[in-house]
Amino acid sequence: MAFIKGVFGAYPRNYITKDDLMKLFEHKSFNYSQEKLQTIKKILSSMNVQGRPTCVNFKQFWEDLDEDKCPCTIERPSTDNLFRGAQDPFNPTMGERAVIWEAAVKDLALKAAKGLLAKTNTNTDDVECIITNTSSGVMLPNLSTWLPQQLELSNIKCNYSLDNTGCGGAITCLDVARSTILSGRARSVLVVTVDCSTTHMNTDDEIDMEGILPNLLFGDGAGAVLITDEKEEGLWELNEPECLLMTGETASFINMRTRENGYYLNLSKDLVPSLGQALSQNWSRILKNLTKTSDIEEVEWLVHPGGKAILDTFTRLDPPLSHDHLQHSLKVMGEKGNLVSATLLFVLELMISQPNKNVACLIGPGPGLEVKFMSLSRV
């Protein structure tokens, strides 16, 4: 059996509110039309996202900052003003963004891992496996080999880098962690998921609204969770997961392409309707298989808050989840936006801090389209 010993979330100290974001888009360097700005303002007002943590201090673009106090080059990026060293701070190249992204991801991943080990009072020698996940960039060596060196984990028996799995990535990591524990390869597994999506904020005025939406929704953060084979009262056991994989044209509904000035993430307008249809057709079966109950009141619902429209999809199922059922997801979305794979661990951390039920269900949609599910049982 595999159990969650602890969860810890970390995020940058910079925070961008809806008003700050609108001020950024209105800057002359974005060159957006008034019609597009009005559409952006309308979307922001309806998103229920008050702000997002970000590794980029976007206020640098409309405030006069003292260069002497904010030294930054692309070779040595500052954690406060990551774009200051770019040749064009409003439109860094892909190469400039890659250096920026790697510095921020390493910083957040290390912060989350150290915080978790301290929170759970875990010795570095006790960690026998590490699993990492990111979907917002590429680095070599990857995080699953870089982090053990930084944390001085001297007893690692296996490591996995499970990247590019999108918003459901945390469940993928928990699935592999559970399998690793059950196989006997390791007794303690450290999982770290991290994404820094705001490093790809794009000013291209040719991007349509499906491409601008990620600029409005995604933030930066890292989540870490420790999985152990030691059973203790109050811990949550990981149960066998399930995956709902759609086929056909849905593969293009969440896609990311590399451009000269960064990644271009597109969220199709057909994403939510297709997700809703697939969930509706399988919801009763999923409830029965995962939670062993048809009573939704007996379950803590931990849905990845990919956006208001996605959470609203779950309120239209039969039986429907109410906003009370989705309270943890709504709170994280409102305060932090969508932190990709790490988001679900923030929701999990919140639930574990104030549990009211003995069964929980993690749900994470992702590119493909796919939806990953995993139930938890409280010991």
Side-chain angles (χ1 to χ4, degrees):
M1 294 184 289
F3 306 91
I4 297 174
K5 188 171 183 179
V7 188
F8 187 86
Y11 44 89
R13 62 180 176 180
N14 295 314
Y15 191 82
I16 185 167
T17 66
K18 289 196 294 186
D19 291 341
D20 291 337
L21 195 60
M22 198 64 225
K23 189 181 295 186
L24 180 65
F25 287 130
E26 290 173 341
H27 193 281
K28 61 182 180 181
S29 294
F30 270 73
N31 197 31
Y32 285 167
S33 67
Q34 285 301 312
E35 181 181 0
K36 186 171 288 188
L37 287 173
Q38 287 301 316
T39 303
I40 291 173
K41 186 175 293 187
K42 183 178 180 180
I43 293 174
L44 282 174
S45 65
S46 65
M47 283 179 65
N48 290 351
V49 177
Q50 300 307 310
R52 299 167 295 161
T54 169
C55 59
V56 180
N57 179 7
F58 285 104
K59 292 184 178 180
Q60 68 184 285
F61 297 126
W62 64 79
E63 293 180 354
D64 292 327
L65 300 181
D66 188 336
E67 289 286 354
D68 292 334
K69 295 180 181 179
C70 306
C72 176
T73 66
I74 287 301
E75 290 73 23
R76 297 178 61 83
S78 156
T79 55
D80 263 340
N81 300 285
L82 293 175
F83 286 166
R84 296 288 284 223
Q87 185 172 353
D88 179 357
F90 274 93
N91 196 24
T93 66
M94 186 64 203
E96 290 170 334
R97 291 178 191 265
V99 176
I100 292 166
W101 175 86
E102 183 173 329
V105 160
K106 285 180 174 179
D107 180 66
L108 281 176
L110 193 58
K111 182 179 178 181
K114 285 183 175 180
L116 176 65
L117 295 179
K119 179 179 180 180
T120 57
N121 196 28
T122 300
N123 295 321
T124 54
D125 290 344
D126 293 335
V127 179
E128 298 182 343
C129 174
I130 185 167
I131 300 173
T132 62
N133 174 277
T134 185
S135 296
S136 53
V138 178
M139 60 176 281
L140 287 176
N142 60 48
L143 283 171
S144 71
T145 55
W146 181 83
L147 270 176
Q149 297 174 5
Q150 305 302 311
L151 296 168
E152 298 182 351
L153 305 180
S154 59
N155 198 29
I156 293 295
K157 298 177 179 178
C158 51
N159 66 303
Y160 308 100
S161 182
L162 307 176
D163 297 335
N164 301 316
T165 50
C167 294
I171 299 179
T172 302
C173 293
L174 292 176
D175 182 10
V176 176
R178 175 179 180 272
S179 297
T180 302
I181 294 283
L182 296 183
S183 71
R185 292 199 67 191
R187 298 190 59 191
S188 181
V189 181
L190 171 62
V191 171
V192 180
T193 69
V194 57
D195 277 293
C196 291
S197 302
T198 63
T199 58
H200 301 294
M201 182 78 74
N202 206 300
T203 63
D204 191 342
D205 61 351
E206 295 181 1
I207 293 179
D208 57 21
M209 292 311 301
E210 291 183 353
I212 289 177
L213 184 58
N215 285 352
L216 311 180
L217 180 61
F218 289 96
D220 305 333
V225 56
L226 189 66
I227 310 301
T228 178
D229 67 349
E230 295 182 2
K231 184 176 181 179
E232 297 178 20
E233 185 177 353
L235 297 188
W236 292 82
E237 180 183 357
L238 302 178
N239 299 316
E240 186 173 356
E242 186 166 331
C243 178
L244 176 59
L245 181 61
M246 289 154 261
T247 58
E249 62 181 7
T250 62
S252 64
F253 290 173
I254 303 176
N255 62 79
M256 187 164 64
R257 297 185 177 91
T258 304
R259 296 160 61 109
E260 290 183 358
N261 57 345
Y263 286 124
Y264 172 63
L265 177 62
N266 183 80
L267 301 177
S268 170
K269 65 180 183 301
D270 298 318
L271 166 61
V272 172
S274 297
L275 179 65
Q277 181 179 5
L279 285 170
S280 296
Q281 294 170 350
N282 294 274
W283 188 236
S284 296
R285 174 184 61 81
I286 291 168
L287 284 179
K288 181 179 179 181
N289 291 350
L290 279 176
T291 65
K292 311 303 181 186
T293 179
S294 58
D295 187 356
I296 60 175
E297 302 300 331
E298 296 180 4
V299 181
E300 294 272 18
W301 294 99
L302 311 177
V303 181
H304 185 287
K308 182 178 182 296
I310 288 180
L311 290 182
D312 285 347
T313 297
F314 288 86
T315 68
R316 295 189 289 269
L317 299 176
D318 184 20
L321 300 183
S322 68
H323 283 180
D324 284 342
H325 294 128
L326 299 170
Q327 58 177 310
H328 302 305
S329 300
L330 287 166
K331 181 176 177 59
V332 170
M333 182 181 71
E335 296 177 354
K336 297 180 175 65
N338 186 342
L339 310 180
V340 197
S341 58
T343 322
L344 203 49
L345 295 185
F346 279 82
V347 178
L348 177 61
E349 181 184 27
L350 182 60
M351 185 279 292
I352 287 179
S353 69
Q354 47 191 43
N356 294 312
K357 313 285 175 58
N358 291 320
V359 177
C361 185
L362 296 164
I363 304 177
L369 291 173
E370 66 172 357
V371 186
K372 295 183 182 295
F373 306 85
M374 176 177 276
S375 67
L376 312 174
S377 303
R378 194 179 183 198
V379 178

